[in-house]
Amino acid sequence: MGTKKVHMFLLFWDFVVGCRGSLIQQAIFPASHVRDLNRGSQYEQYPVENAYSQYLSSHSGASNAYTGATSTNYYFDVAAKKAEDASPDEASPLYGALDRFAQFFIDPLFLSSTLDRELRAVDSENKKNLQSDQWRLHQLEKSLSNPKHPYCHFSTGNLEILKTQPEARGIDVRQKFMDFHEKHYSANRMKLVILGREPLDVLEG
């Protein structure tokens, strides 16, 4: 969508893999939830950690993501105009942001050190949720559902089921995430929306 009225570019990317995904059914771990947090990882084209977040911050932008029951959503905003001191031939900040964002899906490196930090971030988030009555009631409802249905399983994860238990069973957690990415991060499952100042033909190009 293109309109001259906006001061920020907005992007929403949604794809149909949520916390009821096939890996959850197999009770391995909620990989999609970790992947929505793993946006700081390095990519082949941008090997510096947090290159995506740093680029957005330097252009008045920010990003976030969430994993729902049936889909995972990534989104960011970034300045719609170049900085006043930018050179005339410098592209709009949207193009640099899109290129870095796309690498997350195209060629993530899945470095062990980065993945371990993300697993611990999920564990920390889960510990925070333990203090919330809303999350407690949600998990209680799930535990009372049909045990053969994916809804019954633990949807957010902690370090015990993401790392400790799989490794005790001889599972290579990093490889499992790479396999998950290869299998599920497919264009036919994804939808992309961009809101910016440029005409629609330019945004689509």
Side-chain angles (χ1 to χ4, degrees):
M1 296 180 287
T3 172
K4 292 289 186 180
K5 296 181 180 180
V6 301
H7 300 287
M8 301 287 288
F9 282 111
L10 302 176
L11 176 143
F12 299 89
W13 182 300
D14 192 87
F15 76 108
V16 187
V17 175
C19 61
R20 300 181 193 173
S22 60
L23 286 180
I24 302 301
Q25 264 182 302
Q26 298 167 28
I28 296 176
F29 45 70
S32 56
H33 180 54
V34 177
R35 287 293 287 139
D36 86 45
L37 289 172
N38 200 27
R39 300 178 306 283
S41 60
Q42 295 97 313
Y43 323 115
E44 191 69 40
Q45 186 171 333
Y46 298 101
V48 177
E49 188 172 358
N50 292 317
Y52 167 61
S53 298
Q54 290 173 5
Y55 182 88
L56 293 179
S57 296
S58 66
H59 293 86
S60 305
S63 68
N64 211 332
Y66 63 86
T67 301
T70 58
S71 68
T72 300
N73 185 279
Y74 302 84
Y75 54 96
F76 73 75
D77 57 56
V78 68
K81 293 182 178 181
K82 297 184 290 185
E84 292 182 359
D85 59 350
S87 61
D89 59 343
E90 186 175 324
S92 163
L94 173 65
Y95 295 97
L98 275 175
D99 190 39
R100 288 162 176 79
F101 178 79
Q103 299 309 312
F104 173 72
F105 304 95
I106 296 171
D107 203 11
L109 295 179
F110 286 104
L111 298 183
S112 298
S113 58
T114 305
L115 180 59
D116 186 70
R117 285 198 298 274
E118 299 302 338
L119 297 180
R120 295 182 186 280
V122 172
D123 187 66
S124 177
E125 181 180 335
N126 177 68
K127 288 176 179 176
K128 172 182 66 72
N129 292 340
L130 295 177
Q131 309 305 315
S132 166
D133 287 341
Q134 181 180 354
W135 276 99
R136 290 175 177 178
L137 289 171
H138 177 60
Q139 190 58 43
L140 176 62
E141 177 189 36
K142 288 165 66 65
S143 67
L144 295 174
S145 64
N146 183 351
K148 295 182 179 180
H149 193 279
Y151 183 72
C152 182
H153 294 290
F154 189 18
S155 59
T156 57
N158 57 25
L159 200 62
E160 180 71 17
I161 67 167
L162 289 166
K163 182 176 173 66
T164 306
Q165 291 182 11
E167 289 182 347
R169 300 200 304 271
I171 294 175
D172 184 338
V173 175
R174 176 175 177 268
Q175 185 60 52
K176 284 295 182 181
F177 274 96
M178 294 170 67
D179 293 344
F180 183 90
H181 180 276
E182 180 68 23
K183 179 178 180 180
H184 293 291
Y185 278 63
S186 174
N188 66 305
R189 290 181 157 186
M190 299 179 177
K191 295 180 179 180
L192 176 69
V193 176
I194 300 176
L195 173 64
R197 293 173 61 87
E198 281 84 352
L200 185 59
D201 291 343
V202 175
L203 290 175
E204 288 182 332

